[in-house]
Amino acid sequence: MKKLINKPEDFIRESLQGMAAAHSDLIKVHYDPAFVYRADAPVQGKVAIISGGGSGHEPMHPGFVGMGMLDAACPGEVFTSPTPDQMLEAAKRVDGGAGILYIVKNYSGDVMNFEMATELARSEGIRVLSILIDDDVAVKDSLYTQGRRGVGTTVLAEKICGAAAQQGYDLQQIASLCRRVNLNGRSLGMALTSCIVPAKGTPTFELGNQEIEMGIGIHGEPGRDRTTIKSADEITQTLTLSIIEDAPYSRTLREWDEEKGEWVDVELIDPAFENGDKLLAFVNSMGGTPISELYVVYRKLAEICEQKGLQIVRNLIGPYITSLDMQGCSITLLKLDDEIIRLWDAPVKTPSLRWGV
Amino acid sequence: MKKLINKPEDFIRESLQGMAAAHSDLIKVHYDPAFVYRADAPVQGKVAIISGGGSGHEPMHPGFVGMGMLDAACPGEVFTSPTPDQMLEAAKRVDGGAGILYIVKNYSGDVMNFEMATELARSEGIRVLSILIDDDVAVKDSLYTQGRRGVGTTVLAEKICGAAAQQGYDLQQIASLCRRVNLNGRSLGMALTSCIVPAKGTPTFELGNQEIEMGIGIHGEPGRDRTTIKSADEITQTLTLSIIEDAPYSRTLREWDEEKGEWVDVELIDPAFENGDKLLAFVNSMGGTPISELYVVYRKLAEICEQKGLQIVRNLIGPYITSLDMQGCSITLLKLDDEIIRLWDAPVKTPSLRWGV
């Protein structure tokens, strides 16, 4: 294994130490338990947005902590859910009295631990809601997941909800907004290569010299199918059409009902994309694929969207939700409305996403 | 070869088409000859900054075209110098009447072609100066280069000179500033893996499973030495000390003398770093190394600088001058003064570097 690390067991802590040293104007890091938080937290009267999950997907989530995005991020070990005490301590540290929204990717470990953290925080008098992101159209049920996995839409939800919090939306409004972003976002990824988890030292899965995996998970978990390598245009077409042509998707997710004071099952339906929709198109590197190749993908994606009557009015292109050094890409399409566009455009100042300030 | 491309010979053009589609608010692309230019060019009365070089180092240079940075970038084929007609046509397109500064990395092909372009532009009545960047302390003379190679400082010079142009500096002032940035900047890189040039389809050089190359060039050209893989801290220490302890460096570069109307040899000396210097620290991914590892490098870099009495007051961390999918990193240290800090902090709005607006 060749990586720029010291001991594998120190990798995440040392990476966070580097972040803290580099961005002390924006973030601070608490180490035991581990969470990254806004340097100016708590912001009194503002809803705080917290996310987290296994490490190895950087810059998501720690790179998105700062003004207009996350108040805190809880990093687990590589590809391993963070623990409820990380989420609880982060909540206590950034609570500004207006409540906390946990944004949670739909992996069984994350879901369970964030539910526990939600109850622990509530028992300490902190108001908490949590919203699940399950936007990956690749597979239903998978290693680590019941239902669809949470991937690229998470990045977009963190930006959009962070802007809403910054603008004074209340907790219910932001939870509702986050749910809407999740329902309107769909993703699909693919791998050219595996990734290597430092503690293991060998590739997570084997891909032949001419093989690629379509529908890959961000932890290297199996996707839809393996094929021989195809052209960028063919790969982009498969990814894009799978997203665009995905039928309305109905499932039940558990959410906390504040009025009833209990967990309830909520039936939620992702609408299908329709001619005339305005979209944000997000072309993401899995970590090892350079931006020059992402633009080749974007070129074909834009062409297909235009043919289908879908209008891309915003985009994000780069490595934002990665799988360590994996080569490959994912595409996320998010249906926009005027409110979401306004929140997307709002200023943001984090280590890895910044504009307007 | 597994990459997100179509035909290798279409890679650069299709990547530029994707960029143009994604960032039509910021840039436009001219295809024959190929150059990327500011969507609002020419900006009347402003000095225009143009750079260029072989492709494969993205986002440098096309990703740095926009307000507060480059007016145009001339991309050659992968790792191949652009031609004088690209540079000439770019100059004609973006000239706002206040002259052009070419920022040129010190590779023999680039130097020769930019000199020819300088003369062609001048013969068409456009005032042009050019400044060479030669900041790589790895080796003296190398494949493609006489003297030191131009690497990471180029990115910083483009930002700083772009801000100066935006603020109304005249051509001589900006050329002088660019020269100062070059003299105050030093870099060194290393490779964990080779890169694969699409037209070739196989690795540019062979590195064993446990081998790394210190002092690698951005085209995969040989560095200082090959060693077995070491810890991130050891690698960072070698890179950092080689930069910090580099003696004053004297060499002769060719520059156009406007008063004499001829090329003259100018003796230039890089001063050594000194206790108390304020620095910008730039930790760069060679393309395939994720940001989590760059922070491990930054952590040690910051520690060494502190021990040496060097104060890091600005930083840049991410993939900015890459070698396709190569894994590895480079470190650039730039000695700052108040004027350069002010210009670094000034607003910039390009596809790949943006803040303050």
Side-chain angles (χ1 to χ4, degrees):
Chain A
M1 172 180 57
K2 295 197 289 186
K3 286 178 185 287
L4 293 169
I5 64 172
N6 295 302
K7 292 181 193 159
E9 60 269 31
D10 296 333
F11 170 44
I12 297 308
R13 185 176 46 79
E14 292 183 343
S15 185
L16 292 173
Q17 287 171 337
M19 273 196 83
H23 307 293
S24 59
D25 55 327
L26 299 176
I27 61 161
K28 290 183 180 169
V29 179
H30 187 279
Y31 291 98
D32 188 20
F35 59 92
V36 178
Y37 61 105
R38 266 177 75 153
D40 60 351
V43 182
Q44 290 304 327
K46 189 185 83 66
V47 173
I49 315 286
I50 299 179
S51 191
S55 292
H57 309 299
E58 292 72 20
M60 185 187 82
H61 305 273
F64 301 143
V65 174
M67 193 286 293
M69 210 159 168
L70 297 180
D71 291 81
C74 305
E77 286 301 311
V78 173
F79 297 171
T80 303
S81 178
T83 54
D85 66 317
Q86 292 176 259
M87 302 158 187
L88 172 65
E89 293 304 318
K92 287 159 73 172
R93 185 66 190 77
V94 302
D95 178 31
I100 306 274
L101 179 71
Y102 284 144
I103 299 180
V104 185
K105 299 190 301 301
N106 190 38
Y107 298 96
S108 304
D110 289 18
V111 172
M112 185 179 72
N113 289 342
F114 269 106
E115 280 192 10
M116 285 178 60
T118 301
E119 296 187 4
L120 290 169
R122 224 177 263 124
S123 72
E124 300 214 19
I126 301 174
R127 192 177 159 210
V128 182
L129 292 177
S130 70
I131 292 292
L132 291 178
I133 306 293
D134 62 339
D135 62 316
D136 187 343
V137 305
V139 289
K140 182 165 171 11
D141 300 337
S142 168
L143 201 59
Y144 312 130
T145 327
Q146 286 195 307
R148 288 184 169 179
R149 302 174 298 214
V151 287
T153 299
T154 316
V155 176
L156 311 181
E158 292 175 3
K159 167 66 184 84
I160 291 160
C161 294
Q166 199 70 34
Q167 294 180 15
Y169 282 46
D170 72 25
L171 182 57
Q172 283 285 357
Q173 288 172 322
I174 297 175
S176 167
L177 173 70
C178 192
R179 196 184 295 113
R180 188 162 103 236
V181 170
N182 182 43
L183 299 184
N184 286 332
R186 281 184 171 85
S187 301
L188 189 56
M190 59 79 55
L192 294 166
T193 67
S194 180
C195 54
I196 297 178
V197 175
K200 184 158 175 269
T202 54
T204 301
F205 57 97
E206 293 296 334
L207 267 184
N209 271 338
Q210 298 296 320
E211 261 186 333
I212 62 174
E213 175 127 359
M214 300 296 288
I216 193 79
I218 57 172
H219 313 95
E221 63 269 39
R224 285 188 172 184
D225 63 325
R226 289 192 178 192
T227 68
T228 53
I229 176 76
K230 294 183 172 20
S231 71
D233 281 0
E234 288 171 293
I235 289 168
T236 304
Q237 174 147 331
T238 301
L239 294 176
T240 308
L241 293 183
S242 298
I243 293 170
I244 292 176
E245 294 172 356
D246 189 52
Y249 171 64
S250 173
R251 79 293 205 188
T252 300
L253 295 179
R254 253 162 78 90
E255 291 191 5
W256 182 261
D257 186 313
E258 287 198 306
E259 285 188 17
K260 292 184 183 163
E262 61 182 29
W263 293 96
V264 296
D265 285 334
V266 185
E267 197 196 349
L268 295 168
I269 303 176
D270 291 3
F273 290 107
E274 290 178 3
N275 194 298
D277 279 353
K278 289 183 181 176
L279 302 183
L280 185 155
F282 170 25
V283 178
N284 174 63
S285 166
M286 300 304 271
T289 284
I291 197 165
S292 48
E293 296 180 35
L294 300 184
Y295 282 124
V296 175
V297 170
Y298 185 85
R299 169 185 168 276
K300 185 67 180 174
L301 168 63
E303 184 185 305
I304 296 170
C305 285
E306 188 174 348
Q307 284 165 358
K308 295 284 181 182
L310 298 167
Q311 194 187 349
I312 301 176
V313 298
R314 294 292 183 277
N315 62 65
L316 182 69
I317 301 167
Y320 293 102
I321 166 173
T322 63
S323 299
L324 297 166
D325 53 351
M326 182 186 286
Q327 293 190 337
C329 74
S330 65
I331 292 174
T332 298
L333 296 179
L334 173 66
K335 180 182 170 175
L336 300 172
D337 54 42
D338 290 345
E339 181 185 25
I340 292 179
I341 292 174
R342 183 176 56 74
L343 294 166
W344 178 258
D345 290 344
V348 60
K349 189 174 183 181
T350 72
S352 291
L353 205 66
R354 182 173 173 187
W355 56 71
V357 68
Chain B
M1 173 180 57
K2 295 198 288 186
K3 286 179 185 286
L4 293 169
I5 63 171
N6 295 303
K7 292 181 193 160
E9 61 270 30
D10 296 333
F11 171 43
I12 297 307
R13 183 176 48 78
E14 292 182 344
S15 185
L16 293 173
Q17 287 170 338
M19 274 196 82
H23 307 293
S24 59
D25 53 329
L26 299 176
I27 60 161
K28 291 183 180 170
V29 179
H30 188 279
Y31 291 97
D32 188 19
F35 60 91
V36 178
Y37 61 104
R38 266 177 74 154
D40 59 352
V43 182
Q44 290 304 327
K46 188 184 85 65
V47 172
I49 314 287
I50 299 179
S51 191
S55 292
H57 309 300
E58 291 73 22
M60 186 188 81
H61 305 272
F64 301 143
V65 174
M67 194 284 293
M69 209 159 167
L70 298 179
D71 291 81
C74 305
E77 285 302 310
V78 173
F79 296 171
T80 304
S81 177
T83 53
D85 66 318
Q86 291 175 261
M87 303 158 186
L88 172 65
E89 292 305 317
K92 287 160 73 173
R93 185 66 189 76
V94 302
D95 178 32
I100 306 275
L101 179 71
Y102 285 144
I103 298 180
V104 185
K105 300 192 300 301
N106 190 36
Y107 297 96
S108 304
D110 290 17
V111 172
M112 184 180 72
N113 289 342
F114 269 106
E115 280 192 11
M116 284 178 61
T118 301
E119 296 187 5
L120 290 170
R122 223 175 264 123
S123 73
E124 299 214 17
I126 301 174
R127 193 177 158 207
V128 182
L129 291 177
S130 70
I131 293 291
L132 289 179
I133 306 292
D134 62 339
D135 62 316
D136 187 343
V137 306
V139 289
K140 182 166 171 10
D141 300 336
S142 166
L143 201 59
Y144 312 131
T145 327
Q146 286 194 307
R148 288 185 168 178
R149 301 173 297 214
V151 287
T153 300
T154 315
V155 176
L156 311 181
E158 291 176 3
K159 167 66 184 83
I160 291 160
C161 295
Q166 198 71 33
Q167 295 179 15
Y169 283 45
D170 71 25
L171 182 57
Q172 284 284 358
Q173 289 172 322
I174 297 175
S176 166
L177 173 71
C178 192
R179 196 184 295 112
R180 188 161 104 236
V181 170
N182 182 43
L183 299 184
N184 286 332
R186 282 183 171 84
S187 301
L188 189 57
M190 60 77 58
L192 294 166
T193 66
S194 180
C195 55
I196 296 178
V197 175
K200 184 157 175 270
T202 55
T204 300
F205 57 98
E206 292 298 333
L207 268 183
N209 272 338
Q210 298 295 321
E211 260 185 333
I212 62 174
E213 175 128 0
M214 301 295 287
I216 193 78
I218 56 172
H219 312 95
E221 63 269 38
R224 284 188 173 185
D225 63 325
R226 289 193 177 191
T227 69
T228 54
I229 176 77
K230 294 184 171 20
S231 71
D233 281 0
E234 289 171 292
I235 290 168
T236 304
Q237 174 146 332
T238 301
L239 294 177
T240 307
L241 293 183
S242 299
I243 292 170
I244 291 177
E245 295 172 354
D246 189 53
Y249 170 64
S250 174
R251 77 293 204 187
T252 299
L253 294 178
R254 254 163 77 90
E255 291 191 5
W256 181 261
D257 187 313
E258 287 199 308
E259 284 187 18
K260 292 185 184 162
E262 61 182 29
W263 293 96
V264 297
D265 284 335
V266 185
E267 197 195 350
L268 295 168
I269 303 176
D270 291 4
F273 290 107
E274 290 179 2
N275 195 299
D277 279 353
K278 289 184 180 174
L279 303 182
L280 186 157
F282 170 26
V283 178
N284 174 63
S285 167
M286 301 304 272
T289 284
I291 196 164
S292 48
E293 296 179 35
L294 300 184
Y295 282 126
V296 175
V297 171
Y298 186 85
R299 170 185 166 278
K300 185 68 181 174
L301 167 64
E303 186 185 304
I304 297 170
C305 285
E306 189 174 347
Q307 285 164 357
K308 296 282 180 183
L310 298 167
Q311 194 187 347
I312 300 177
V313 298
R314 294 292 184 277
N315 62 64
L316 182 69
I317 301 167
Y320 292 102
I321 166 173
T322 63
S323 299
L324 297 167
D325 53 351
M326 182 185 287
Q327 292 190 338
C329 74
S330 64
I331 292 175
T332 298
L333 297 179
L334 172 67
K335 180 182 170 173
L336 300 172
D337 54 42
D338 290 346
E339 181 186 26
I340 292 179
I341 291 174
R342 182 176 56 74
L343 293 166
W344 177 259
D345 289 344
V348 59
K349 189 174 183 181
T350 72
S352 290
L353 205 67
R354 181 173 173 187
W355 56 70
V357 68

